[in-house]
Amino acid sequence: QVQLVESGGGLVQAGGSLRLSCAASGSIFGFNTMGWYRQAPGKQRELVATITYLFSTNYADSVKGRFTISRDNAKNTVDLQMNSLKPEDTAVYYCNVNVRYRGVYDYWGQGTQVTVSS
């Protein structure tokens, strides 16, 4: 019933930009934290950025100043604007919604590939 669908991934040259979007559907408690995570080949999944329902943001040090996360509570979407991309940003990017109400719930998208060429 709950579904997160990412879009916007692709191939880009170093220094370029991409904008990832995630649309949430289904019954998800509104007071949540949305975020983007990524997993590169041979590495563990890592947090990229999060944003609460009140728009408080948190970024990994590696992307701070380059990436911007945003959300639209009315549309149930979360975006990640990625600028000044580096080859080390290459990974599968996953949308996440975390709910802490009557339990802890994590919802994940299917992932979208971002490849940055050098």
Side-chain angles (χ1 to χ4, degrees):
Q1 185 176 1
V2 175
Q3 188 175 31
L4 305 178
V5 180
E6 301 106 329
S7 62
L11 175 65
V12 66
Q13 290 185 319
S17 298
L18 284 173
R19 188 176 183 89
L20 305 183
S21 296
C22 174
S25 62
S27 299
I28 303 177
F29 189 65
F31 300 156
N32 60 59
T33 296
M34 291 181 160
W36 289 93
Y37 294 71
R38 67 187 182 187
Q39 187 167 21
K43 295 185 177 181
Q44 295 182 339
R45 186 175 298 186
E46 65 176 357
L47 184 149
V48 178
T50 62
I51 181 167
T52 71
Y53 71 99
L54 291 177
F55 312 113
S56 178
T57 59
N58 184 48
Y59 296 92
D61 288 340
S62 60
V63 307
K64 196 171 298 181
R66 300 188 297 121
F67 292 8
T68 302
I69 189 170
S70 60
R71 66 185 288 166
D72 188 325
N73 291 343
K75 296 180 179 179
N76 294 319
T77 59
V78 58
D79 291 357
L80 185 70
Q81 178 65 46
M82 305 185 294
N83 299 326
S84 302
L85 283 162
K86 305 174 181 179
E88 50 262 45
D89 295 318
T90 296
V92 177
Y93 284 70
Y94 297 91
C95 178
N96 169 263
V97 177
N98 178 261
V99 177
R100 297 180 183 270
Y101 176 76
R102 299 180 63 84
V104 179
Y105 306 92
D106 274 294
Y107 305 100
W108 295 93
Q110 81 287 351
T112 185
Q113 176 71 231
V114 171
T115 303
V116 184
S117 62
S118 60

